[in-house]
Amino acid sequence: MRRLELLQWFGLLAAPLAWTTQLVAGLAVAGVPCARGGGHWGISVESWEIALAAASGTVAVCAQLSAVTLYRELRDVEDDAPGPRGRLHFFAVASLFGNVLFIALITLTAVGAAAHSGCRQA
């Protein structure tokens, strides 16, 4: 039962945390070349954004595999079953749908970062 609970929480929380990390770290990385003292560091924004997208995407896909594994383990449980197994089944289904959305968000964030035109003075 402990293994199933770990799969449940990883499947439910890993993808949103990966996307949040990608978004916040990507914002920080994108601002470095525009900062007064950051231009001489030679940080390639594109390389960092690709690395962030790859890492976040990998975590999200692993979360989806975790949710699939949990769902397969609980395929005999009814949708409205009481107790811990019913809760695990509910979170497995929620994770299956949620992770698809967060994988799409990670992809869209990566596309947006790749299309970023760099620093412009307002």
Side-chain angles (χ1 to χ4, degrees):
M1 192 60 134
R2 180 80 174 140
R3 181 178 78 81
L4 295 178
E5 287 180 1
L6 289 174
L7 285 173
Q8 168 203 323
W9 290 115
F10 183 79
L12 187 66
L13 298 175
L17 291 175
W19 175 69
T20 303
T21 302
Q22 177 195 17
L23 195 64
V24 172
L27 180 62
V29 167
V32 168
C34 299
R36 180 174 288 209
H40 69 278
W41 287 1
I43 293 177
S44 169
V45 174
E46 292 82 14
S47 299
W48 277 101
E49 293 291 348
I50 290 170
L52 285 169
S56 299
T58 301
V59 170
V61 168
C62 288
Q64 183 70 347
L65 291 174
S66 167
V68 167
T69 303
L70 181 63
Y71 184 78
R72 292 189 64 176
E73 290 278 332
L74 300 168
R75 66 180 138 216
D76 60 331
V77 176
E78 296 291 324
D79 286 339
D80 57 352
R85 292 184 62 81
R87 174 184 47 85
L88 288 168
H89 180 74
F90 172 77
F91 279 126
V93 172
S95 298
L96 287 171
F97 289 112
N99 288 336
V100 170
L101 296 175
F102 280 104
I103 289 170
L105 281 170
I106 289 168
T107 304
L108 290 173
T109 302
V111 169
H116 185 261
S117 62
C119 301
R120 285 186 275 174
Q121 296 295 324

